[in-house]
Amino acid sequence: MANPGDDNEKKQTPSIFRSVPKWQDLRFYQKSVVLYQLTYTFCDRFLAKHGDRTVDQMVQAARSGKQNIVEGSEDGKTSTAMELNLLNVARSSIGELRQDYEDFLKSRRLTRWTPTDHRFQPMQDFTKSHNLLADYEPYFLQWTAEEMANVGLTLCFQVDTMMNKYLKVLEEIFIKEGGVKERMHKARTEYRKQQDERLAELERALPQLQQQLSVAQTEAAQWKTAYEDLKQRALKAYYQQQEEIRALKRQLGQQA
């Protein structure tokens, strides 16, 4: 027989932790990894290793973009507001990096590829369809400074665009579901609701259980009375038989 509480136990109180995508699977994170490694190699190949603060700025901006995506995603499990804040920090870092790539092309009088350039569309097609570092690494030591800067610049724009779309989704979630305080309140409210429902269910079942107990007690009393009656009759029959045996023995003894 099923326990009345079984269905109640299956109900789960809403978690205060929000379900978030794995940051490793986010396409803009994957591109940010490429952007960081590309930037590191770019600085190592084409910028002075000493005396140029641009190297540290570019590498740190690329790293900040990547790391804040990770931290934002992790913090998003408990705080949508914190995730929004950290992803915006990541966007700002990527924006700084984009400016550095633009400045590099301008200061070296190199060409920034535009849609009218025959090299622009192939680069767009490649970067849009490839997100993993392994797809780019073979070219890191082959591309010229102009090629590498344009690819880096394009990745900056793509990461920013993708993050903007993701941020809009997060904002909608935040508006609908609120933050951790709202989820905690919802969890507490749902838990209290479940406890109230369980109490009401037990109270509804109590009269029936009391009736069943009363019936069982009556039946037990009847069985006890019947048992005592049977016991007394069996004892009476036993003693009568014993007495009859003794009487027969005495009679047989006298006849002998």
Side-chain angles (χ1 to χ4, degrees):
M1 181 176 178
N3 189 322
D6 288 347
D7 292 338
N8 187 74
E9 291 175 359
K10 292 178 182 177
K11 297 178 182 177
Q12 295 184 353
T13 303
S15 174
I16 64 171
F17 298 105
R18 185 170 64 85
S19 177
V20 298
K22 292 182 179 180
W23 46 265
Q24 298 95 327
D25 297 333
L26 294 170
R27 292 178 63 215
F28 59 82
Y29 168 75
Q30 295 170 355
K31 286 185 182 293
S32 75
V33 172
V34 175
L35 188 54
Y36 171 69
Q37 296 296 337
L38 181 144
T39 300
Y40 188 92
T41 305
F42 174 84
C43 292
D44 185 62
R45 289 184 63 196
F46 303 115
L47 293 176
K49 293 180 175 58
H50 304 287
D52 189 348
R53 292 185 57 194
T54 306
V55 174
D56 289 338
Q57 290 172 351
M58 292 183 70
V59 171
Q60 287 303 316
R63 183 181 183 280
S64 174
K66 176 175 68 73
Q67 291 303 112
N68 277 290
I69 292 172
V70 176
E71 293 178 22
S73 182
E74 288 295 325
D75 288 347
K77 295 175 183 177
T78 55
S79 174
T80 307
M82 182 64 75
E83 184 177 11
L84 286 166
N85 180 59
L86 288 171
L87 290 182
N88 276 309
V89 172
R91 280 192 64 230
S92 297
S93 296
I94 299 299
E96 292 177 14
L97 182 61
R98 182 179 68 223
Q99 189 65 53
D100 285 329
Y101 276 119
E102 290 176 345
D103 290 344
F104 178 87
L105 291 170
K106 288 178 183 177
S107 63
R108 272 71 172 180
R109 291 181 172 79
L110 299 173
T111 303
R112 176 180 172 180
W113 301 347
T114 63
T116 59
D117 193 298
H118 71 279
R119 296 167 294 184
F120 179 82
Q121 195 56 48
M123 175 187 65
Q124 283 285 326
D125 293 340
F126 178 82
T127 53
K128 283 183 178 180
S129 60
H130 294 81
N131 301 313
L132 301 179
L133 179 61
D135 299 327
Y136 291 81
E137 279 185 315
Y139 302 101
F140 281 0
L141 299 180
Q142 298 178 22
W143 282 330
T144 64
E146 183 176 291
E147 289 171 333
M148 209 165 191
N150 274 284
V151 171
L153 190 58
T154 299
L155 287 172
C156 286
F157 278 110
Q158 290 178 357
V159 170
D160 185 69
T161 300
M162 296 167 75
M163 289 184 68
N164 265 322
K165 292 179 180 178
Y166 187 75
L167 285 167
K168 287 180 181 179
V169 173
L170 286 182
E171 288 170 358
E172 292 176 1
I173 292 174
F174 185 73
I175 291 171
K176 292 178 182 177
E177 301 180 4
V180 65
K181 291 182 180 179
E182 288 81 1
R183 289 196 295 276
M184 290 176 67
H185 174 72
K186 183 178 180 181
R188 287 195 299 267
T189 301
E190 185 62 28
Y191 177 77
R192 179 58 185 270
K193 179 182 176 183
Q194 290 179 10
Q195 298 307 305
D196 289 343
E197 289 175 351
R198 178 59 175 157
L199 178 60
E201 182 182 358
L202 291 172
E203 289 177 340
R204 287 194 300 269
L206 186 59
Q208 182 180 359
L209 292 173
Q210 289 175 331
Q211 183 180 4
Q212 292 174 352
L213 177 60
S214 178
V215 170
Q217 288 174 336
T218 300
E219 291 179 350
Q222 292 174 346
W223 278 106
K224 183 177 181 180
T225 300
Y227 167 77
E228 289 296 333
D229 180 64
L230 180 62
K231 177 182 175 182
Q232 291 302 321
R233 285 190 283 121
L235 286 172
K236 183 178 180 181
Y238 173 78
Y239 292 138
Q240 287 177 346
Q241 189 170 351
Q242 288 287 85
E243 182 59 32
E244 187 176 351
I245 291 171
R246 284 195 292 271
L248 288 171
K249 285 182 176 181
R250 283 195 300 272
Q251 185 178 354
L252 290 171
Q254 292 174 355
Q255 291 177 355

